Structure formats: C-alpha cells, structure tokens
DNA sequence: TCAATAGTGTCTGTCAGACAGTATGTG
DNA sequence: CACATACTGTCTGACAGACACTATTGA
C-alpha cells in the first residue's frame, strides 16, 4: 500500500539496506545474411558458462542509462557508431539468473542491414553470426535462450505494424529486397505482385529514387526501381503474418 | 566487443567496483470506472516530490524478481491477491531520474475490472483513481509522466491484437460491456452491430453463458446474453483503432 | 531470340462501415 | 401500448490472395 511505498522511500537514504544489484545491458543484434535472419553471439571465456555462447553485453556504468550502455556496447561490438535501429526489449531479474551475484539485465533488440563478418575488433574472443534456424537456444548461457525467444517474437511482430523491415536493408533497395526481409524473418513466401502493391500503397513506407535502377542479375532480367526509407514509422493498415 | 564484455564479467566478482544500484518496481494500474479509463496514483509524503502524485511501487527485495515485487506491491495496494492482468512495460534508468541515488525502475502495467474506491488499507497515505483525461501527467513525481504515457500507449495498442479488453470487465459480461471498454480506452464510438459481429466472429474471444441473461435497464429494454472470457489470447485478425 | 526478372491488370472472396429492420424486455 | 435496448440482415467499398499478362534487360 502507499504507506509501505513511502517507508521504502525512507530506506532509500541508507544504501547499506539494499542488496548489491548489478545492472547489465544485453543485446540481441539481428541482421540478414544470405537471405537468413542471423543473431550475433559471443563465446564466453570465463565461468560461469565458460565456452557457452551468449548475447553480447556489459555492465551499466554509473554515469549512463541502460539505453546509453546498450548503444555503447553496440559500438564496441561493431567498431563503429551504430546507425541502425535499437530498442529496449524487456528486463530479466530472476534472483538466480546469474550464480555469482544479483544481476538485473535490461535486454535490447538491434537491427542492422549488414555488418562485418567477424563482429568486434582485433580481440581474440570469438564472436559470430548464427542463423536463427541453426542456433541451439537451449545451450546459451544464463537465461539468454529466454531473451532470444522474446527478441525473435518482438522482431517478427514489429514487421507487422512498423516500417522496421527497412532497417534490414542497405539503401538504396528494391521492393524485392524488402520482400526478402519479410520472407526471411517470418519464414513465409509472398506473391510478388501482392507484396509490391501493399508496400507502394502505404504512404511513407518507401520513397523511390529518381532515375535510380539496379541492373538485372548476371543471367539477365529487367532492371529494378530503387527506393529509400520513407519517413513513416507505423504501417496502417499493418502487414499481418499469415494465420 | 566480446573481450570487454568478459572483462566486465570478471569485475562482477568485486561488488565494490559497482555503483549502488537500487531497483524498484513501479505500477501503472488501470481500471474502468463510470465508463472512464482510470489510473491509480498515490500522493507522496516525503521528499523528493513530497505532495506530488506518483505511481505506486517499491523496492525489489533480495530474494525476489522484479515481476514478483510488482505482484507483491499490487497485492499490498489492493489488499487482496491480484487476479487481473499484469505485464512488464519497460525499464527506466536515467542516471538523474531520482535525485537521491541511482534507482532503476522496472515499470509494469496492470489491468483490473473494478477495485475498491480507495485503494490501500487503513493507511493514512492518500491514494485515488484518476481518470486519464483529467490527470495532469506533467505534475507527477520523477519521470512518471513518461512512464504513464508509455503505459497508456501499451494498453491502447494491446486492445488491438489481444483479448486484453476482457480484463477490464467483471464476469459475466455483455457484448455491450466489452464495447464500452474499447470506447473508453480509445475514446471512440463503435457501431453496435459491427462491434458485435467482430467480437463473436473471433473464436475464443468470449464464450456465451448458457441461459445467462442480464435484465434490461430500469427504463426497459431487452435482456442481454451474458459471456465469459474465452481462452484465446490473441485476436486474429486484430481490431484496429480507426485511423 | 531466349531466359530471367520487373512490373501491371483483373477476378474473387472476405471483411469492415453504414444503416435499416426485427425481437424482446420494462413500464 | 410506448419505448428502450438487444440482435439480425444487407448493401457497399476496400483490400488481400491468386494468377495471368506485359515490359525490359543481359546473354
């Protein structure tokens, strides 16, 4: 009740009364490689879970918010200022999720069109992209399997009612590129004509590049109109996953 | 990069290297009263923000997760084991959000059909339901205005593609009751015939109560069929807000 | 000219909005 | 009976799925 809440507030003045919480920002970074949705994982070098694959992440520092920590970690992973999409996913706070101490993890989802093959710099630690279909979530460290499941569902759901799909492709892109994003993330196939109609009838989803065409493939084929991301954030009406 | 992440892990063994994070669970509890969407707020008795209205909440204890803390706080507020819907919203971690110390707040959204007029027990602290249309978010304590905005958007969005609306009504209910939920939360009006068709054509949204009817109003009128919540969680296709 | 890819047109079923009409309850 | 509320039927326009068709490019 309210009174208890205020008692808790009083106790806030005495830091010794609190358990030592550590707060981390963990990242589920997705990209598209060879038409497959991939997730960035790093191999742990220390106990617990030494040798296991885990989500990249690190501790939130005293001067920064969890959002800032996530963006910093992302820049450290990729070696450059991250320009893609980053959003908070959820917070995982089970008391036993880390056997060493009390760690609360604020998890994030990031999307990027394409990133260097080996993420991270000259560091010896192993990091690689895993196609989500060949990954073994059950073997991930901590509760990261749970986080990855939530992250995948978030990404899949957000393609329905936001323009997030454009964050998976480099500009400029074709309608076909965008279609391949939906097909890879949802594991479905689209009728090209219907997908095209849907995308182009949504104002602000994509904007065409004047006189911009991409040459056909090596085996021939008509050149395709090129597009850039529009300024719309939401899709109305949404593009729903098939039942 | 991955190597740094593991250095951070090493540091985890030395609690002294970490800033003293406190973690709270804050609650945005919504209900429907007299056809208006209302939010539960408590008035703070101590500095900072003494006298300001704030979201109920409290500190996460050493033995519990943030989810458990939220459920515990909710039971303390309402005096009974909470039976409605509770879900995590987001985590707010700006370093300056609490002037006293570093507090990370995991915010939750809760929905309930109807709760006692004055939430909380015999405690003297003030707690009341505020219609969201007459509330002054800018005057809330801490960053609670921000949290409330996010919570409102979450609730509004979730009515679109989940069966969450049924959490706002007591069982058994009529289709009209459910319509009033959508109208109050979205601030729109529905055509009764179309709303009815939509609800009843979604399998598992509601199930009718055999031989259950509610008498007409005091001024006359046909009795209405009664329903209970179905077992569906998602609405497919969704009920979209008007553009 | 052929193969491959881009893009258009059109039919059809489903569904949402609008709204007229019927049924059943209270006074 | 009047009247209020519950419920049903139906028209129409928008749109999604299916798919046949035309256009343009490279070899």
């Amino acid at each position: 009740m309210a009174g208890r809440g205020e008692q808790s507030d009083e106790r806030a003045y005495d830091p010794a009364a609190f358990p030592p919480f550590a707060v981390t920002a963990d990242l589920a970074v997705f990209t598209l490689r060879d038409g497959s949705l991939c997730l960035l994982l790093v191999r742990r070098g220390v106990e617990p879970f030494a040798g296991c694959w885990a989500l990249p992440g690190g501790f939130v520092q005293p001067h920064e918010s969890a959002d800032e920590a996530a963006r910093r970690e992302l820049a450290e992973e990729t070696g450059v200022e991250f320009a893609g999409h980053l959003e908070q996913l959820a917070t995982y706070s089970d008391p036993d999720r880390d056997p060493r101490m009390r760690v609360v993890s604020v998890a994030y989802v990031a999307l990027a069109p394409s990133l260097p093959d080996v993420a991270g710099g000259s560091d010896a630690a192993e990091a690689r992209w895993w196609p989500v279909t060949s990954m073994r979530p059950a073997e991930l460290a901590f509760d990261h399997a749970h986080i990855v499941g939530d992250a995948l569902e978030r990404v899949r759901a957000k393609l329905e009612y936001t323009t997030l799909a454009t964050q998976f492709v480099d500009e400029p892109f074709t309608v076909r590129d965008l279609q391949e994003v939906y097909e890879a993330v949802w594991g479905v196939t689209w009728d090209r004509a219907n997908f095209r109609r849907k995308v182009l009838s949504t104002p602000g989803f994509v904007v065409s590049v004047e006189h911009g065409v991409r040459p056909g493939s090596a085996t021939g084929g008509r050149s395709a109109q090129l597009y850039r991301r529009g300024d719309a954030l939401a899709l109305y009406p949404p593009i729903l996953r098939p039942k």
Side-chain angles (χ1 to χ4, degrees), chain A residues 49-85:
Chain A
F49 299 103
C52 280
W53 293 92
L55 296 174
F59 289 93
V60 176
Q61 301 300 318
H63 62 283
E64 67 185 1
S65 67
D67 291 22
E68 288 162 352
R71 193 161 287 276
R72 173 177 54 75
E73 294 286 340
L74 204 41
E76 290 173 4
E77 287 294 333
T78 60
V80 294
E81 185 71 13
F82 180 73
H85 176 83

